[in-house]
Amino acid sequence: SGIDFNLRYMLETSVGDFNFGAEPNYVISWEQKTGPTTELEDIVGLVDTPEFRVNLSSTWTQGEWDASLFARYTDSQEEEGYGKIDAQWILDIQAGYYLPWNAKVNLGIRNLLDEMPPLNENVGFPYYSTELYDPIGREYYIRYNQKF
């Protein structure tokens, strides 16, 4: 069980509109059995089950232009026998332009700061949680959307 929120705020200004968003997730309890005859055990905060995660966004829009900054946070986890896995922030940016023929082009960078997954040799190969983290570093992209 847990708590999820989706918060949005829009600010209209003379230099454009600003949209801010936050999607926090707080896990209160997550019970799991480690075997068919074992008791339920709360695993919140252990490896692969962070207690807190959040996605943040901010977008500026002016006429045909927009620009966005996204931030994703994963809380640290700690478990006996595995040690601690550090928390991580990932930042993404993108800029877009609406074209006159009902289309849009975006340029962006995923993982702007080129963050690698927090490594922990105790979790085994590849030494990071494949459930939570992406091993691909910084990525550049161009996206074209056409509406018909």
Side-chain angles (χ1 to χ4, degrees):
S1 65
I3 300 169
D4 293 321
F5 287 101
N6 189 333
L7 308 169
R8 300 278 177 231
Y9 179 74
M10 183 175 161
L11 177 63
E12 296 177 354
T13 72
S14 61
V15 295
D17 296 339
F18 293 88
N19 290 286
F20 303 97
E23 297 174 1
N25 168 262
Y26 178 75
V27 180
I28 297 169
S29 71
W30 185 335
E31 294 183 338
Q32 174 178 305
K33 285 186 169 192
T34 57
T37 60
T38 61
E39 296 292 320
L40 284 172
E41 178 184 343
D42 191 0
I43 60 170
V44 172
L46 301 182
V47 172
D48 290 340
T49 55
E51 184 175 32
F52 182 73
R53 296 174 82 177
V54 66
N55 293 321
L56 302 173
S57 63
S58 59
T59 300
W60 163 81
T61 305
Q62 174 68 30
E64 293 82 23
W65 291 94
D66 65 29
S68 299
L69 174 67
F70 305 99
R72 296 172 278 148
Y73 174 77
T74 302
D75 203 6
S76 64
Q77 306 116 66
E78 190 165 6
E79 187 169 346
E80 188 175 326
Y82 290 99
K84 183 175 182 178
I85 297 175
D86 292 332
Q88 184 182 50
W89 281 99
I90 298 290
L91 299 177
D92 305 328
I93 61 171
Q94 96 173 8
Y97 183 76
Y98 290 91
L99 300 165
W101 52 87
N102 208 20
K104 183 180 181 187
V105 64
N106 287 307
L107 303 172
I109 304 172
R110 288 186 195 95
N111 195 353
L112 177 66
L113 303 177
D114 200 23
E115 293 289 326
M116 296 309 290
L119 299 178
N120 182 325
E121 63 185 36
N122 295 320
V123 298
F125 185 79
Y127 309 115
Y128 65 90
S129 170
T130 57
E131 305 257 338
L132 296 174
Y133 304 104
D134 186 350
I136 297 174
R138 184 180 301 126
E139 294 181 281
Y140 301 90
Y141 65 89
I142 297 175
R143 178 181 305 130
Y144 177 85
N145 292 319
Q146 179 67 58
K147 290 186 179 180
F148 295 98

